[in-house]
Amino acid sequence: MDRTTVRPGTRRIWLRNAVTVCAVALGTLAPANAAPANAANAAVGGTSGPAARAATPWTLRTPLSETVSTEFWDVAATGAKDAWAVGRKTDGADGPTPAIKHWNGTAWTDVAVTGAGDEPGQLEKVSAAAPDDVWAAGVQFGDTTSPVVVRHWDGEKWAETAHATPQEGWTSFVGDIAAFGEKAAWLTSFDWDQASGASTSRLERWTGSAWQEVSLPAAPGGGEVRPWDITGTGPDDVWVTAEAVTGDVSVPLLYHWNGRGWNLREVPTPAEHPTGWVANHAVATGRGSVYVVGKTNDAGVPEATMATHWTGSRWQSLPALPVDEANAAGADGAGRLWIAGWSAGGRHSVLSRWTGTEWATEELPADVTEHSEMSTVSGIAAVPGTNGVFAAGTAGCQSDPVMCGVVVSRDVR
């Protein structure tokens, strides 16, 4: 297996799908968190012409004119003049290198990644608690093992923090990273051994000097608990999605950390399914308010999607997603839920907002859809202090360098 071909995503189907994930070819624009079989079900295609330019409120912030192949997989912001996008760049035969861009309110500029060593690698997740407190996580590609790499921005430079290396021959994957202030960063990841099929997953918390593994309470019905997505509003309001796995069947769970201990809720699902369901995304839109978005735990393409809202006292089910699968989910500065994914029949991601009664779907700007073969959105982030939102992803450029990193925004001045 060539570890450099692995694309990050919001949900690995763990043991059963690990081989599929590792087989996604470099440069493939299948959804980052879907099996390759889902690539044919692309998004609503970009409409060409002046009407399309007037139809969407989204603005392209990074022209499709990179000099090297670039992919963005996540984005984070602390305000209208401070945002980050992470991913990788690939130039030549040496393999990808981590890519970081910073938004200062006027332009996106490259920021050097220190401590990267001689091995190729990529960054897959980013989260920002303050302009001088930003975390990014990814992996480094070695010959025999691929460890998770975690870096911190202190306002002046990116510095690597020590993180445990997996066993020889094992491959690491990042689930999510979330920052809520000093000594309040959380990380999920898992290691997989291709030879034996064994895996191990973990939730970790930054203590101020080291990453410390945290144990979650056992699942009500038993099964191995595998944490994944992280969201929240502060150090004492942290939510973690997980799945309880028994054989090939997954039960979605939602854990809440109140600063002292954990509360556990089983996530309601729309229907029974032979392999169960997984909770790909959690999005907190206020204290005690969190949306959970997921799909069936299907080894090929998802057969159904789900979305539900924990209001602080009860669950409220949302209609089925307007996309085959949510490749990204987040909120805008006004606290509204957004998802991104592909609808059947097209080639570009669409972005959908939950209005409280229905999904309102919007296309990417024509600068993306008219000048690229395909596109996918992998990260969505609120812009605090505004009603705005950033979304980051990748487009298949119509000319070299093949892959172009994309950052778009809505209601960001």
Side-chain angles (χ1 to χ4, degrees):
M1 179 190 67
D2 179 1
R3 181 61 178 80
T4 63
T5 67
V6 175
R7 296 182 60 82
T10 53
R11 171 57 58 188
R12 317 282 180 190
I13 309 300
W14 302 91
L15 298 177
R16 225 158 22 88
N17 267 13
V19 174
T20 301
V21 172
C22 289
V24 179
L26 177 63
T28 298
L29 277 173
N33 53 340
N38 201 33
N41 297 325
V44 172
T47 305
S48 62
R53 295 183 181 275
T56 179
W58 290 87
T59 301
L60 179 63
R61 295 287 186 169
T62 53
L64 306 186
S65 58
E66 296 282 354
T67 57
V68 298
S69 188
T70 305
E71 298 163 84
F72 290 142
W73 287 327
D74 203 11
V75 63
T78 66
K81 297 183 179 180
D82 181 56
W84 298 87
V86 301
R88 70 181 183 185
K89 292 188 175 183
T90 305
D91 186 12
D94 294 333
T97 57
I100 301 180
K101 276 188 179 289
H102 179 249
W103 169 254
N104 62 8
T106 303
W108 288 90
T109 57
D110 291 315
V111 178
V113 183
T114 58
D118 296 328
E119 301 290 347
Q122 62 194 25
L123 292 171
E124 303 171 6
K125 291 291 181 179
V126 63
S127 181
D132 59 353
D133 186 14
V134 186
W135 289 91
V139 290
Q140 193 172 68
F141 308 142
D143 293 332
T144 59
T145 188
S146 298
V148 167
V149 176
V150 186
R151 293 188 171 87
H152 181 257
W153 173 261
D154 62 4
E156 296 182 358
K157 64 182 184 305
W158 285 96
E160 186 173 336
T161 62
H163 189 270
T165 299
Q167 302 176 52
E168 195 76 9
W170 287 53
T171 299
S172 293
F173 298 84
V174 173
D176 201 9
I177 195 165
F180 302 105
E182 187 179 0
K183 298 183 181 180
W186 296 79
L187 173 72
T188 58
S189 63
F190 75 97
D191 301 332
W192 171 65
D193 179 22
Q194 183 182 11
S196 66
S199 74
T200 180
S201 57
R202 65 185 64 82
L203 171 68
E204 297 172 275
R205 182 181 182 181
W206 178 249
T207 66
S209 58
W211 288 100
Q212 182 180 72
E213 191 163 350
V214 176
S215 296
L216 290 170
E224 180 187 355
V225 175
R226 296 170 175 172
W228 191 252
D229 211 38
I230 312 168
T231 189
T233 64
D236 59 351
D237 184 35
V238 179
W239 302 85
V240 179
T241 67
E243 58 185 83
V245 181
T246 304
D248 289 336
V249 181
S250 296
V251 176
L253 305 174
L254 182 64
Y255 288 86
H256 181 245
W257 172 256
N258 63 12
R260 301 177 302 277
W262 293 98
N263 293 316
L264 168 60
R265 295 175 179 83
E266 191 167 321
V267 178
T269 58
E272 296 292 328
H273 191 273
T275 59
W277 297 73
V278 292
N280 288 354
H281 309 276
V283 180
T285 56
R287 194 172 183 87
S289 172
V290 61
Y291 290 87
V292 177
V293 179
K295 67 178 186 67
T296 55
N297 182 29
D298 187 80
V301 298
E303 295 179 0
T305 60
M306 70 169 186
T308 186
H309 179 208
W310 175 253
T311 66
S313 59
R314 64 189 181 93
W315 289 102
Q316 291 181 336
S317 295
L318 278 63
L321 306 185
V323 294
D324 285 344
E325 180 180 357
N327 297 330
D332 60 23
R336 298 171 297 191
L337 173 68
W338 286 87
I339 63 168
W342 289 359
S343 298
R347 299 173 292 109
H348 294 279
S349 282
V350 293
L351 294 123
S352 294
R353 172 174 51 88
W354 175 244
T355 67
T357 57
E358 62 181 0
W359 293 104
T361 299
E362 299 171 353
E363 294 184 354
L364 290 170
D367 290 337
V368 176
T369 60
E370 292 179 6
H371 301 287
S372 64
E373 301 295 339
M374 302 173 72
S375 64
T376 186
V377 170
S378 304
I380 298 173
V383 182
T386 76
N387 291 331
V389 58
F390 280 117
T394 304
C397 300
Q398 293 178 343
S399 59
D400 287 341
V402 181
M403 307 287 278
C404 289
V406 172
V407 178
V408 294
S409 69
R410 189 184 194 277
D411 299 327
V412 178
R413 301 290 181 260

